[in-house]
Amino acid sequence: MTQQPAWGVSFSKYFVIPQRVILAIMGFLAILNAYTMRISLSIAITELVVKKNYTDGGEAAVCPADDLDSDSSSGGDYEWSEELQGLILSSFYIGYIVTHIPGGLLAEKFGGKWTLGLGILSTAFFTLITPIAITEGGSTALIIVRILMGLGEGTTFPALSVLLSQWVPLKERGKLGALVLGGGQVGTILANSLSGVLLDAYDWPIVFYLFGGLGVLWFLIFIVLCYSDPGSHPFIKPSEREYLEREMGSVTRNLNLPPTPWKAILTNLPMIALVCAQIGHDWGFYIMVTDLPKYMADVMQFSIKANGLYSSLPYIMMWIFSISSGFVGDWLMTRKILSITNTRKLMTAIAAFGPAIFMVAASYAGCDRVAVVILFTICMGLMGAFYAGMKLSPLDMSPNYSGTLMAITNGIGAITGVITPYLVGVMTPNATLLEWRLVFWVAFAVLVVTAIIYCIWASGEVQPFNDPPAVKDCEAEERGKKPEKH
């Protein structure tokens, strides 16, 4: 363990908040920024495209216009079909998938700080140039920029998983992990609500300049305050450093990890169950995140300001529920009411079966705007339990390879981010209520089936591939023992 510099010890006295909590807050803000930059287009695209002119009526069509603010929902100048809009919204995830595994491997090898920081910075840069891409190159340039944004943001979750595994003790993992991962909901809230207000008052490029600029600001603060592990942090309090070493066994990264045991990971049954749960979660989540504003605009006929507000309400509930479920999960395990495995299964079941039911129910509420908003809000609120469930499984199953596990699960799950927006565009060519109802029934089936698989085969215990023979030998040598023969 490296010796902490004298200036760092002196400087640490000025920090009231523990460094692991500061890291969690900055991780929360990292995901918040990532989601605002990712999602802002979902609202903005309703102002970019030419507004549809509906002439038919009945349940198969759409709801009456929102008379209170109907003048603010006039649409834009770009004649992009529903299928092309689906391709534009899904293009981000093409790049997002590619950098997950490289991001996890880089974070495990070199630490999560720069892997996370540079990824968010590059996403911020491409967000800032999005208006230029749209005006100069149309849909083709926009698709390219969105793919490049995805490449930068693909390292976010793997790098954060590595950082959390180095900084957060098991008994704090539920609440701090839920805090960090809750940045997705708060980012979605800000992206939807602020975008709606800004688009109502200003021209559409403002949302990309605002959220891209905030991403750059976050990067500058993050590289000053945060470090890859407690052992390399120069101004962590000695008392916190000792606490983390006592709780976690080490405050430095294992620099002697052998090559990633790919075969053992990919053939591990709990790992396969985890991937299935991630696919189910992401299928439902990406439909809501990417396409809920379009549903509110095209079917419910909300104005742009109301669209931003009502599209954000479900994520306020989701954020509250994700934090609450993190505390409940930690309490269940600390009191030994449930094991780690059963706690993760319980939270994952709540987060899958509940949203599946309320998502479909919302489509049967017809044009009752109050009922639709309430049902979608309950739907996404319950989905927040995922963050105290399967989302923490990579940290439980393999602290040494948590970045790789998060990269595999999140990367495979992100394929649904490519599929679902495009599929929604294909399934809803007329953007009618009955077409959307079928979309929600498909999501119901995916959520339920994948959650059942997880609840049968998942595990919250450290898996054998976390400690290959080479790791055990190195640990034995460090303790002055002879390595075991294998």
Side-chain angles (χ1 to χ4, degrees), residues 44 66 201 264 269 279 320 344 383 405 422 428 434 457 472:
D66 182 3
L269 194 55
I279 289 171
I320 293 170
R344 302 293 183 238
M383 196 175 282
L405 265 61
Y422 182 72
T428 59
L434 288 181
W457 287 294
K472 294 177 180 177

Side-chain angles (χ1 to χ4, degrees), residues 372-452:
V372 167
V373 171
I374 290 173
L375 289 168
F376 276 134
T377 299
I378 297 172
C379 163
M380 294 307 293
L382 293 173
M383 196 175 282
F386 265 119
Y387 295 94
M390 50 77 59
K391 280 288 189 180
L392 294 177
S393 290
L395 280 71
D396 298 328
M397 293 167 63
S398 180
N400 283 330
Y401 297 102
S402 59
T404 297
L405 265 61
M406 182 67 85
I408 293 170
T409 55
N410 223 52
I412 293 175
I415 295 173
T416 64
V418 178
I419 296 171
T420 53
Y422 182 72
L423 184 63
V424 169
V426 172
M427 293 177 68
T428 59
N430 302 305
T432 64
L433 182 56
L434 288 181
E435 290 172 347
W436 272 96
R437 184 175 294 163
L438 180 59
V439 169
F440 294 133
W441 270 116
V442 172
F444 176 97
V446 175
L447 275 164
V448 168
V449 171
T450 54
I452 290 172

Side-chain angles (χ1 to χ4, degrees), residues 93-144:
Y93 298 98
I94 296 173
Y96 187 65
I97 293 166
V98 172
T99 50
H100 262 70
I101 289 179
L105 294 173
L106 286 170
E108 288 168 354
K109 183 74 174 176
F110 302 107
K113 174 178 178 175
W114 290 103
T115 310
L116 174 64
L118 293 175
I120 295 291
L121 180 64
S122 64
T123 306
F125 169 76
F126 289 115
T127 301
L128 287 168
I129 67 169
T130 296
I132 299 173
I134 294 172
T135 54
E136 299 297 324
S139 60
T140 302
L142 177 57
I143 289 170
I144 293 171

Side-chain angles (χ1 to χ4, degrees), residues 453-467:
I453 293 172
Y454 181 86
C455 289
I456 295 173
W457 287 294
S459 174
E461 305 300 323
V462 175
Q463 298 300 297
F465 58 74
N466 181 65
D467 294 300

